């Protein structure tokens, strides 16, 4: 081959290289995850938020050093999930973030900055001052629109744990909905943090939160035929509880999913003793990711939920460094504080994720 032919061949290869790189970004596996990052507060007061314990003179003596350690720890977990999966998350939902600023600080952390995550976030009326947010990889997903869906009591549910005065005073996290395109397919992602458990105080309001999400998802399915819906979050309920199995139409196995249903891949995992958090030593999976029937019975050649390994469709991500290795809470998530003392942990929840693939 003469010199001119070699140069021409090199030129063609150089022209093709970017196209091939884009093809790799578009195809392959998509990791869809959720992480309750446990009280990610900065060190300054946000007007109207009850963030006083996370100030330098507050109960937790929260300062710049502790805040930076918290950010670094969370970034390490996200980076390690990338190493396990071989790709960055296409979408990662977050709960318990104070504001957009703390999310911006997180995505700038050196361990994950190269992922280039972008942020969708709205302020919520929650009294603790915590919100949900969504990180997305712009190389793999294009955001079309988003909205913040408020909680209300406009339901046929008979509320027995909150009287009319308490309902008027009730504040919780809004649900974040983000609609976007992945490989040309329409998706709607819902990031939730359902009302907390306080004894039996929140059973009916969590059912109402699930009802709000479900009705919105059905409206989206009517408006955008074929749209694929993913509901993720800290539900403060387990997969078999009424909010998820009843009002959100969550099903234990793909074979049980009918039109209008969701598949909850973490139900079987909990049955097998796997947990994303623990209460008095017992496993729970509040950190669920549910997919609509359009991701279970997807047309050939389109994105669908796929197994990870031989059995499970979901993954609770935990490593020894993320887990208490001794003491009262041994074997549970290594949290930021224990009995009021800063212990430089990660979160009181493990993150969860699923895989989508053609």
């Amino acid at each position: 081959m003469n010199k001119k032919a070699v140069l021409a061949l090199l030129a063609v290869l150089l022209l093709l290289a970017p196209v091939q790189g884009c093809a790799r970004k578009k195809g392959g596996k998509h990791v869809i995850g959720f992480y309750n990052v446990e009280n990610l507060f900065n060190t300054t007061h946000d007007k109207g938020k009850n963030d006083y314990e996370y100030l330098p003179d507050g109960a937790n003596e929260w300062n710049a050093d502790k805040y930076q350690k918290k950010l670094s720890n969370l970034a390490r977990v996200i980076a390690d999930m990338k190493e396990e999966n071989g790709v960055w998350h296409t979408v990662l939902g977050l709960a318990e973030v104070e504001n957009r600023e703390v999310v911006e600080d997180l995505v700038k952390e050196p361990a994950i900055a190269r992922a280039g995550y972008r942020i969708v976030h709205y302020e919520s009326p929650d009294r603790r001052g915590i919100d949900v947010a969504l990180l997305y990889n712009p190389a793999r997903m294009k955001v079309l629109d988003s909205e913040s869906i408020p909680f209300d009591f406009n339901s046929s549910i008979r509320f027995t744990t909150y009287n009319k005065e308490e309902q008027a005073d009730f504040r919780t996290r809004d649900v974040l909905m983000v609609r976007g395109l992945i490989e040309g397919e329409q998706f709607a992602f819902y990031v939730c943090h359902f009302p907390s458990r306080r004894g039996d105080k929140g059973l009916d309001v969590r059912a109402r939160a699930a009802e709000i999400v479900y009705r919105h998802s059905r409206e989206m399915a009517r408006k955008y035929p074929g749209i694929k819906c993913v509901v993720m979050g800290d539900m403060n309920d387990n997969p078999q509880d009424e909010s998820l199995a009843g009002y959100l139409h969550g099903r234990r196995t793909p074979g049980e999913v009918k039109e209008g249903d969701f598949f909850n891949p973490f139900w079987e995992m909990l049955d097998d003793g796997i947990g994303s958090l623990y209460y008095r030593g017992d496993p729970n999976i509040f950190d669920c990711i549910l997919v609509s029937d359009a991701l279970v019975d997807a047309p050939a050649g389109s994105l669908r939920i796929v197994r990870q390994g031989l059995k499970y469709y979901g993954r609770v991500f935990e490593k020894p460094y993320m887990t208490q290795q001794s003491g009262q809470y041994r074997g549970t998530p290594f949290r930021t504080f224990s009995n009021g003392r800063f212990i430089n942990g990660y979160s009181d929840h493990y993150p969860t994720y699923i895989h989508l693939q053609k």
Side-chain angles (χ1 to χ4, degrees), residues 3-286:
K3 185 176 180 181
K4 286 184 178 179
V6 171
L7 291 172
L9 178 61
L10 287 172
V12 170
L13 291 173
L14 287 171
L15 287 169
L16 286 174
V19 175
Q20 291 169 341
C22 287
R24 280 195 298 272
K25 284 183 180 179
K26 289 181 181 177
K29 174 174 59 185
H30 292 273
V31 181
I32 310 298
F34 173 77
Y35 197 6
N36 180 328
V37 293
E38 190 204 10
N39 295 322
L40 181 57
F41 284 84
N42 60 21
T43 62
T44 57
H45 175 58
D46 266 15
K47 186 177 179 180
K49 292 195 173 187
N50 184 14
D51 58 1
Y52 297 104
E53 62 182 327
Y54 283 93
L55 297 176
D57 59 353
N60 291 327
E61 299 179 345
W62 195 241
N63 56 33
D65 180 59
K66 291 175 181 176
Y67 177 53
Q68 182 55 56
K69 287 177 178 177
K70 175 79 171 179
L71 291 170
S72 299
N73 287 349
L74 295 173
R76 178 186 179 185
V77 174
I78 295 169
D80 280 358
M81 284 190 277
K82 186 267 181 183
E83 291 305 308
E84 176 167 293
N85 288 300
V87 293
W88 295 104
H89 290 83
T90 298
V91 167
L92 177 61
L94 303 176
E96 296 200 14
V97 298
E98 181 183 15
N99 50 34
R100 186 184 179 93
E101 180 183 324
V102 300
V103 186
E104 290 175 345
D105 288 344
L106 176 60
V107 301
K108 290 174 188 173
E109 279 294 298
I112 62 172
R114 63 189 183 278
Y117 288 127
R118 292 185 184 170
I119 301 164
V120 184
H121 167 267
Y122 293 86
E123 288 290 336
S124 282
D126 179 77
R127 295 203 185 282
R128 285 178 56 204
I130 54 174
D131 309 323
V132 296
L134 184 114
L135 307 183
Y136 70 96
N137 183 339
R140 311 207 75 193
M141 173 170 146
K142 178 182 178 181
V143 169
L144 299 174
D145 56 51
S146 63
E147 65 176 295
S148 190
I149 306 169
F151 181 92
D152 63 53
F153 287 88
N154 301 326
S155 172
S156 60
I157 294 172
R158 183 171 175 266
F159 296 99
T160 59
T161 60
Y162 284 83
N163 60 37
K164 291 296 183 181
E165 291 75 19
E166 290 172 321
Q167 289 180 26
D169 192 51
F170 186 78
R171 301 288 185 274
T172 191
R173 283 74 59 173
D174 291 350
V175 173
L176 172 62
M177 191 288 297
V178 179
R179 184 171 66 92
L181 292 175
I182 301 177
E183 298 195 39
E185 299 180 28
Q186 283 213 62
F187 280 79
F189 292 97
Y190 296 84
V191 188
C192 314
H193 188 180
F194 284 179
S196 301
R197 290 189 168 209
R198 296 172 184 170
D200 289 334
K201 190 74 173 172
L203 295 174
D204 46 12
V205 291
R206 287 193 297 280
R208 173 57 183 155
E211 182 181 56
I212 289 169
V213 174
Y214 183 75
R215 287 181 176 177
H216 195 284
S217 73
R218 298 310 297 155
E219 289 171 8
M220 295 293 279
R222 287 188 287 271
K223 188 174 181 179
Y224 305 103
I227 194 168
K228 296 176 175 181
C229 297
V230 179
V231 179
M232 64 175 73
D234 178 354
M235 309 303 190
N236 274 305
D237 270 334
N238 281 311
Q240 72 275 16
D241 290 330
E242 184 180 27
S243 61
L244 301 186
Y247 287 90
L248 198 52
H249 295 240
R251 303 294 176 249
R252 184 176 180 273
T253 65
E256 298 172 72
V257 174
K258 296 179 175 59
E259 183 179 356
D261 288 341
F262 282 86
F263 166 47
N264 191 335
F266 296 91
W267 192 329
E268 282 191 297
M269 299 177 72
L270 182 61
D271 286 347
D272 288 346
I274 298 169
S276 64
L277 73 160
Y278 292 79
Y279 180 68
R280 295 179 178 175
D282 293 328
N284 296 277
I285 301 185
F286 292 173

